[in-house]
Amino acid sequence: MVKAKKRLGVLTGGGDCPGLNAVIRAVVKTAENEYNAEVIGFFDGYEGLVENRFRPIDMKDAPGLLTRGGTILGTSNRADPFHYPVLEGDDYVHLDRSNQAIFNFESLGLDVLIAIGGDGTMAASAGLAAKGLRVVGVPKTIDNDLAGTDVTFGFDSALVTATDAIDKIHTTAQSHHRVMIVEVMGRYAGWLALGSGLAGGGDIVLIPEFPYDIEAVCDQVKLRKSQGKNFSIVVVGEGAKALGGEMVVQRRVKNSPDAIRLGGISNRLASQIEGLLNVECRVTILGHLLRGGTPSAFDRLLATQLGVKAVHLAMQGEIGRMVSWRHNEAESVPIDDVAGKLRLVTPKHPWVKTAESIGVCLGVPAGISIEKYLTEMVHQ
Ligand code: F6P
């Protein structure tokens, strides 16, 4: 009897980022080249699996995909199959549609689903895996906050965009002797703020993990002034907050597993600094610019290697895993181990130590270690 072709499903869930199409391309190419397998793509993340909306993807789709931003499959950050929003009258109710997702997967004769996404997609995938869905995850997000991997694709491209923006902001800061505040996304993690702050030569970098002391921030501006530097660049993560203060919530998105959308801390910070010092501040919020555009060379390489690895795992029956980038190569971890866990910046991280060594203010008073500050002033 002739063995039927193996069949893979692929979907992209959560917020888009550069590199999603590069993974799709790597999946299709590896499936066809190495395994003579076929691929179908579900539209709009898990929404497509629950509602059985899909299309075949093959080599004809590959040209141009490597460099194209966004995702040709569409995505959704509201389509948790276990908590699926369904319109009833004027409002949404949330139903468990996980059985429907598994039914559709089996009916299509799929061997494995490759789910490309962030923490929400990995959590949904882990839940479906526990119910028998054969799934392999691929970690994406500009936030770089997924557990189990040293880096997610999308992060480097966002870092390049943010750094470029900070470079450009420098000229106005210098010409007008201003405090220029650049706000970057990243949700509850400070990777993007810290990385771009260091790469862009920020003088003050404020991240969600270290609630900032406004006096320490102002002291740094004053110190620079006393050294003849009449301007300062502040890079702030959208999830940052003042000591004893709250994160700034911009909006709440109905039906989203994490309804909170952050944004606006930079305006609050500008008022705080202007209230305490005789300086002029300006604010630039980079927002979704960071999610757009063509992937960086690093992200193309990473996305391609992760996509290839995902297909190998799927074909070798190593399911219920998320591919990860560790020790400079593609590995994998149980998807269960990463679901629901965030990887945040720690005081001991080399980027933090580097920032301290070169005199970047992280919102912590001079002369006190970050560990001590967090224990004694933040978590007391
Ligand atoms: O997780 C990626 C991310 O861009 C975060 O950095 C940001 O907080 C959030 O998504 C924004 O989500 P939305 O596109 O729904 O506004």
Side-chain angles (χ1 to χ4, degrees), residues 45-64:
Y46 271 117
E47 203 176 295
L49 184 60
V50 169
E51 295 176 5
N52 217 21
R53 293 190 291 112
F54 60 88
R55 75 163 171 96
I57 322 181
D58 58 31
M59 289 290 202
K60 289 194 291 303
D61 293 293

Side-chain angles (χ1 to χ4, degrees), residues 20 65 91 102 119 130 138 150 182 216 219 241 243 246 251 258 288 291 331 338-339:
L20 288 166
L65 273 193
D91 222 341
I102 292 172
D119 52 343
V138 182
D150 292 346
V182 182
D219 284 349
K241 59 181 180 203
L243 197 59
E246 298 294 332
R251 60 162 66 204
D258 182 356
H288 290 85
R291 296 230 303 253
E331 295 184 353
V338 299

Side-chain angles (χ1 to χ4, degrees), residues 24-106:
I24 296 171
R25 170 180 175 269
V27 166
V28 171
K29 287 197 164 202
T30 310
E32 284 197 29
N33 280 338
E34 297 242 42
Y35 299 98
N36 190 30
E38 57 190 14
V39 179
I40 66 167
F42 290 98
F43 293 118
D44 304 328
Y46 271 117
E47 203 176 295
L49 184 60
V50 169
E51 295 176 5
N52 217 21
R53 293 190 291 112
F54 60 88
R55 75 163 171 96
I57 322 181
D58 58 31
M59 289 290 202
K60 289 194 291 303
D61 293 293
L65 273 193
L66 182 61
T67 55
R68 190 154 147 193
T71 160
I72 55 163
L73 290 174
T75 185
S76 166
N77 49 17
R78 302 175 195 196
D80 176 358
F82 293 91
H83 199 66
Y84 199 79
V86 177
L87 197 57
E88 255 190 31
D90 288 342
D91 222 341
Y92 282 92
V93 291
H94 291 92
L95 305 178
D96 181 353
R97 304 291 306 276
S98 55
N99 287 341
Q100 184 66 49
I102 292 172
F103 175 82
N104 291 342
F105 172 87
E106 297 296 353

Side-chain angles (χ1 to χ4, degrees), residues 77 141-143 185-187 238 261 288 291:
N77 49 17
T141 167
I142 65 162
D143 303 338
M185 282 185 164
R187 266 208 309 180
E238 62 179 356
R261 292 296 177 275
H288 290 85
R291 296 230 303 253

